[in-house]
Amino acid sequence: MKQKHTSFESMKLNKSLSKSLVENGYETPTPIQSASYNPIRSGKDLIGIAQTGTGKTFAYLLPILNALHYSQGSMPRALVLVPTRELVLQVVEAAELLATYCDLRVQGIYGGTNIRTQSARIAEGVDLLVATPGRCMDIYFSRVLRLGNVKTLVIDEADRMMDLGFMPQLQTIHSALPANHQNLMFTATFSYETVTLSEEFLVDPQRVEVAPQ
Ligand code: AMP
């Protein structure tokens, strides 16, 4: 398999995803997208060192949405954890844009708003869940959310997660996931805290690093 993709065509994305990329004027993968697509698709754990603005969100969303393919079951098969409500909204927006022509359910949950409304939306069924760790844990403990079907976990902005003290919540969520799931971690900086997180959660990860754009 080629190590890097110089075009979206060579990724052999499904037609629905390709159509959204074309319609929204995305022509060429950014370096983080091109370098991380194959490792993510192969099921490996991965550490992406990439800052905001490098296209890191699509770097994990494209292979995940391509693999989810269409709606299935009621509980999430991919879980993206981010540190803030703003990021939940941004990642949901990016996923909805890419999934415009896919039959996939994307939901975002975060603290500071009514938990019942969010729980009710989860109960309706979700394929890709984007969440802050605290709210994810609360809805998990209320038994509305089950995490046994998650195949891929993304920890985005891992350095900010550590700064905000989310390690205990991440550990609880991680222990609720199936043993053989894939872990993807994205961080702008590779600090002592992010190394600790990766050593605890990731198994033989591939490291992909890109310069800020
Ligand atoms: P990030 O926060 O790193 O995910 O970067 C997001 C920004 O990069 C968004 O404005 C995206 O629309 C843009 N972006 C993502 N992928 C590409 C691409 N392949 N070509 C051009 N812009 C992109």
Side-chain angles (χ1 to χ4, degrees), residues 65-76:
L65 293 171
N66 199 54
L68 291 176
H69 208 57
Y70 53 83
S71 230
Q72 227 176 289
S74 63
M75 287 298 131

Side-chain angles (χ1 to χ4, degrees), residues 8 25-30 33 51-58 90:
F8 285 123
Y26 297 108
E27 290 173 353
T28 319
T30 65
Q33 292 162 7
Q51 296 178 351
T52 300
T54 53
K56 67 179 171 64
T57 315
F58 282 10
Q90 276 175 37

